[in-house]
C-alpha cells in the first residue's frame, strides 16, 4: 500500500522533454506539464499557468539548501534528517 496517493501530473523542465518520458508518463496515466524544447519538430500542448507554479517549489528547495545541515545531509538516521528538515522549513517560513 503506497504511503501517498499517486500524482496526476508531472511538472518538469525542458530537459525532461523527450518522447520516451512522455510515453512513460502516459503509461502511468499522468499528464506531462513539460515545455517543449526549441528543437522539437511537433509541439506538445502544456499548461503554461500550471508550469509557472513550479517556481514556488524550486524556491522552497533553494531556501532549504541554505541550511548546511540539510544540503550536505549530515544526519545518518532518516528520522533525524526529517526532524532537521522540519526545523529548517519552520525557520525558513518564520523568517519569510
Amino acid at each position: 500500500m503506497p504511503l501517498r496517493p499517486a500524482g496526476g501530473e508531472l511538472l518538469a523542465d525542458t530537459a525532461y522533454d523527450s518522447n520516451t518520458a512522455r510515453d512513460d508518463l502516459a503509461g502511468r496515466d499522468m499528464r506531462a506539464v513539460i515545455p517543449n524544447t526549441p528543437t522539437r519538430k511537433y509541439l506538445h500542448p502544456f499548461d503554461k499557468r500550471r508550469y509557472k507554479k513550479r517556481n514556488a517549489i524550486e524556491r522552497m528547495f533553494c531556501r532549504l539548501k541554505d541550511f548546511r545541515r540539510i544540503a550536505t545531509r549530515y544526519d545518518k538516521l532518516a528520522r533525524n534528517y526529517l526532524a532537521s528538515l522540519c526545523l529548517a522549513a519552520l525557520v525558513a517560513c518564520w523568517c519569510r
Side-chain angles (χ1 to χ4, degrees):
M1 181 173 180
L3 298 176
R4 57 181 167 69
E9 62 187 14
L10 175 76
L11 287 98
D13 200 6
T14 55
Y16 295 97
D17 181 31
S18 70
N19 291 333
T20 308
R22 288 182 185 274
D23 292 341
D24 184 43
L25 290 173
R28 297 172 190 242
D29 294 329
M30 293 180 69
R31 187 170 62 127
V33 183
I34 304 171
N36 298 298
T37 57
T39 59
R40 185 173 275 282
K41 195 173 197 178
Y42 302 107
L43 301 178
H44 294 282
F46 73 99
D47 189 3
K48 291 181 182 180
R49 194 171 31 156
R50 188 82 174 131
Y51 179 74
K52 284 184 180 181
K53 292 185 179 187
R54 181 179 155 271
N55 185 24
I57 297 168
E58 284 189 7
R59 285 183 289 151
M60 182 266 310
F61 277 110
C62 186
R63 259 189 241 118
L64 288 176
K65 285 183 180 181
D66 287 342
F67 295 90
R68 185 175 178 187
R69 183 176 205 94
I70 302 301
T72 56
R73 198 176 193 279
Y74 285 136
D75 299 312
K76 291 184 179 182
L77 298 177
R79 64 184 167 105
N80 291 348
Y81 183 71
L82 179 62
S84 299
L85 187 66
C86 290
L87 284 173
L90 182 69
V91 169
C93 183
W94 179 59
C95 291
R96 197 172 137 222

